Amino acid sequence: MNSGDIKDDEYYDDALSLASSIDTQYIEKIKELKRKRKAIILAHNYQRPEIQDLADLVGDSLDLSKKAQASDAKVVVFCGVQFMAESAAILSPEKTVLLPVKEAGCQLADMITVQELRKKKKENPKAVIVCYVNSSAEVKAESDICCTSANGIGVVNSLKENRILFVPDEHLGRYLESKTDKDFILWRGFCPAHYNLLPKDILKAKKEHPQAKVLVHPECRLSVIDLADEAFSTNGMLEYAKKSEAKEFIIGTEMGVVHRLKKENPGKNFYVPSENLICSSMKLITLKEVAESLEKMRYKIEIPEEVRKRAKKSLDRMLEV
Ligand code: 13P
């Protein structure tokens, strides 16, 4: 057989084995650098599978901020997006927090600036500002208390005030409004991945998998949440799937979480109802970026101390709840 006869499959197998040997080299390098730097690797549930498998801890926003604080590591490599790494740096100023790709931002967090928030605050002087953690350190510093999707209801119910200015996610705000007796003023921000999930996608998935439980993230539209069995943070979905008797689940959040769901629940099936459920920022981090981050100690999260202290008050108040 001459070289012209080599089948596509053989090229594909060669490419796969080359890629896996490169991955192994990066993983070895990361392990060595981690020891040298006394570092810990935290990964969000939306990260690429190989990053989740490599991480010391994988979790949702709330879980990761607590774990970053509790760890005695000197360096935290945060495989997630900017606001998550910032939360770790706000809570643990004695640690060096690295975000492997500096462009890994959050479009939702970018939908509000501190100047815009100050203006809105002036227009609503009696409202208490509840800020979703998907926001910048400056916006957190200007707020009264933070919340995540896991503790939003508890945070809102802990407030004695009735009027709430909720920033920046309109949809999480609407969901919390529907679950509490408070009066909400909503900012018009949204997460593009969750916003793109439509009721028709859920209806189609339910038709294809009639026995499946539907779990969605509270960043989804209320019309999508209304069609679901439950709305949870990503860790909430993982806990529910583990305990549930059900064998099939439709997962209405960024598809990266399906890696952990499958790994922790062999024998159960998970379906993603839309191919749009992807956060491109979360996928920017690769093994190569993590190795380079540890090698070059980049990109350090730096927050002015005055902003950090005020942002910490909002996060601490949330963690007390
Ligand atoms: P979780 O806190 O549920 O992991 O959500 C994070 C997030 O950014 C959702 O888009």
Side-chain angles (χ1 to χ4, degrees):
M1 184 171 74
N2 65 38
S3 62
D5 297 328
I6 294 175
K7 291 194 189 92
D8 284 353
D9 279 2
E10 289 174 41
Y11 282 123
Y12 184 68
D13 288 348
D14 283 355
L16 269 189
S17 88
L18 178 64
S20 107
S21 89
I22 294 172
D23 279 2
T24 311
Q25 286 170 33
Y26 281 131
I27 292 168
E28 288 313 312
K29 189 168 173 192
I30 291 166
K31 284 185 182 160
E32 187 196 316
L33 285 164
K34 234 177 64 171
R35 277 192 295 275
K36 189 168 149 200
R37 306 279 192 215
K38 297 193 175 19
I40 186 170
I41 299 178
L42 301 185
H44 187 264
N45 290 321
Y46 295 159
Q47 286 289 295
R48 291 171 182 269
E50 63 276 21
I51 300 290
Q52 295 193 30
D53 292 346
L54 169 91
D56 297 288
L57 296 160
V58 188
D60 68 0
S61 314
L62 180 62
D63 195 25
L64 291 175
S65 57
K66 285 187 190 160
K67 281 172 174 162
Q69 201 176 23
S71 153
D72 56 9
K74 286 201 166 24
V75 176
V76 176
V77 182
F78 209 111
C79 300
V81 290
Q82 175 88 21
F83 78 82
M84 296 179 179
E86 276 188 4
S87 292
I90 292 166
L91 291 168
S92 311
E94 70 292 353
K95 296 182 180 113
T96 300
V97 179
L98 305 174
L99 180 67
V101 177
K102 67 170 182 298
E103 292 79 16
C106 168
Q107 290 187 63
L108 167 58
D110 292 342
M111 289 180 190
I112 186 168
T113 64
V114 69
Q115 291 79 9
E116 289 167 333
L117 176 56
R118 283 188 189 135
K119 189 165 170 268
K120 197 81 176 167
K121 214 169 151 175
K122 270 200 187 135
E123 291 163 15
N124 300 279
K126 294 227 168 84
V128 57
I129 304 175
V130 181
C131 159
Y132 187 31
V133 284
N134 297 40
S135 52
S136 67
E138 286 82 5
V139 167
K140 287 187 178 77
E142 205 61 34
S143 302
D144 295 300
I145 186 165
C146 292
C147 78
T148 74
S149 56
N151 63 13
I153 299 174
V155 164
V156 168
N157 282 333
S158 76
L159 302 168
K160 60 179 189 322
E161 296 86 347
N162 195 43
R163 201 160 171 70
I164 290 169
L165 170 54
F166 190 83
V167 298
D169 187 2
E170 176 186 345
H171 301 280
L172 177 62
R174 275 193 203 290
Y175 171 71
L176 296 177
E177 189 174 31
S178 75
K179 293 283 172 193
T180 62
D181 293 329
K182 306 284 183 180
D183 175 17
F184 276 63
I185 305 158
L186 298 167
W187 196 265
R188 289 300 171 95
F190 60 93
C191 158
H194 290 101
Y195 184 73
N196 282 332
L197 181 64
L198 300 174
K200 72 173 169 57
D201 300 319
I202 301 289
L203 292 172
K204 185 168 174 273
K206 275 172 96 154
K207 209 170 175 185
E208 284 164 8
H209 310 286
Q211 304 302 322
K213 290 271 179 211
V214 181
L215 312 182
V216 301
H217 198 276
E219 282 180 24
C220 292
R221 300 158 186 259
L222 214 46
S223 53
V224 164
I225 297 179
D226 286 344
L227 293 172
D229 291 292
E230 305 286 347
F232 286 129
S233 77
T234 52
N235 266 23
M237 290 181 187
L238 283 147
E239 280 161 32
Y240 182 91
K242 204 173 264 181
K243 287 191 195 141
S244 172
E245 302 272 297
K247 294 273 177 275
E248 294 184 296
F249 303 84
I250 293 163
I251 301 298
T253 193
E254 212 278 347
M255 56 180 83
V257 74
V258 171
H259 174 64
R260 233 185 117 186
L261 282 164
K262 282 188 177 162
K263 202 167 148 181
E264 294 177 13
N265 300 281
K268 294 189 179 181
N269 291 318
F270 299 92
Y271 310 109
V272 178
S274 160
E275 60 189 21
N276 295 326
L277 280 166
I278 188 152
C279 169
S280 50
S281 286
M282 283 281 178
K283 308 303 181 210
L284 289 174
I285 298 173
T286 62
L287 291 172
K288 177 170 180 276
E289 308 289 348
V290 176
E292 284 179 2
S293 173
L294 273 165
E295 188 172 22
K296 298 177 182 159
M297 289 296 281
R298 71 183 192 191
Y299 294 91
K300 282 187 193 155
I301 301 287
E302 320 239 29
I303 302 166
E305 188 54 11
E306 177 270 331
V307 174
R308 189 195 69 79
K309 278 191 182 149
R310 288 191 298 124
K312 186 169 184 296
K313 274 193 193 155
S314 304
L315 280 171
D316 281 343
R317 207 174 150 197
M318 168 188 90
L319 292 171
E320 278 163 29
V321 176

